[in-house]
Amino acid sequence: MANFQLDKIHSSISFQVKHMMVAKARGEFSEFDIKVEGDIHQLESAKVKATIQAASIDTKNEDRDNHLRSADFFDAENYPTITFISDSVKKVSDHEYEVTGRLTIKDVTKTETFKVEFNGQSKNPMTGNIIAGFDVEGKINREDYGLTWNAALETGGFLVGKEVKIFGSFEFIIS
């Protein structure tokens, strides 16, 4: 059983959503933690728990970030964390996995599946530590979690898309 310690400096969680039906708005969460228990050589048995601080959202626009933290969206004051707890890890190919688990946003929990690419492991020449890297992709319907605020456009459609694409890139120190 390996100890996976998240290297936060070399890890990120970001997202994108359609904006005005023609472009994509992007952002990230700057405060998060991921706990992994398992064997690096037998990832199908791994257990994952991710915790994101909702108020750490950053879209490079302070007004938009404050709106996203408000009750119209994440209601970060009343629901400070977003969590994902894995239920299963399925090997799809040599380096690809599907992780299915319970995603909770604003006290609404739904089962979601994310694609995970295991990028391998390497020895850090600076510290001698073994490092493992993973990339994660998925998409959710934000309205499933009560994130339903929107505005109609006079040209048709809505200001904010329903589908949110999620991307993660994570580096762990393995011991």
Side-chain angles (χ1 to χ4, degrees), residues 5 7 10 40 118-125 127-134 170-175:
Q5 180 184 345
D7 182 346
H10 296 105
I40 190 70
F118 175 45
N119 297 322
Q121 53 187 347
S122 182
K123 187 174 184 179
N124 183 330
T127 64
N129 292 327
I130 300 298
I131 305 298
F134 299 86
F170 307 111
E171 195 169 290
F172 292 91
I173 301 166
I174 308 297
S175 57

Side-chain angles (χ1 to χ4, degrees), residues 84 88-93 95-101 112-119 133-140 165-170:
F84 176 81
S88 68
V89 178
K90 177 183 169 189
K91 188 171 188 171
V92 177
S93 71
H95 300 286
E96 296 176 329
Y97 296 82
E98 289 180 348
V99 178
T100 300
E112 302 285 356
T113 299
F114 295 92
K115 294 178 184 175
V116 177
E117 182 177 357
F118 175 45
N119 297 322
F134 299 86
D135 288 327
V136 177
E137 278 189 36
K139 57 186 172 184
I140 64 169
K165 293 182 180 178
I166 299 168
F167 307 95
S169 185
F170 307 111

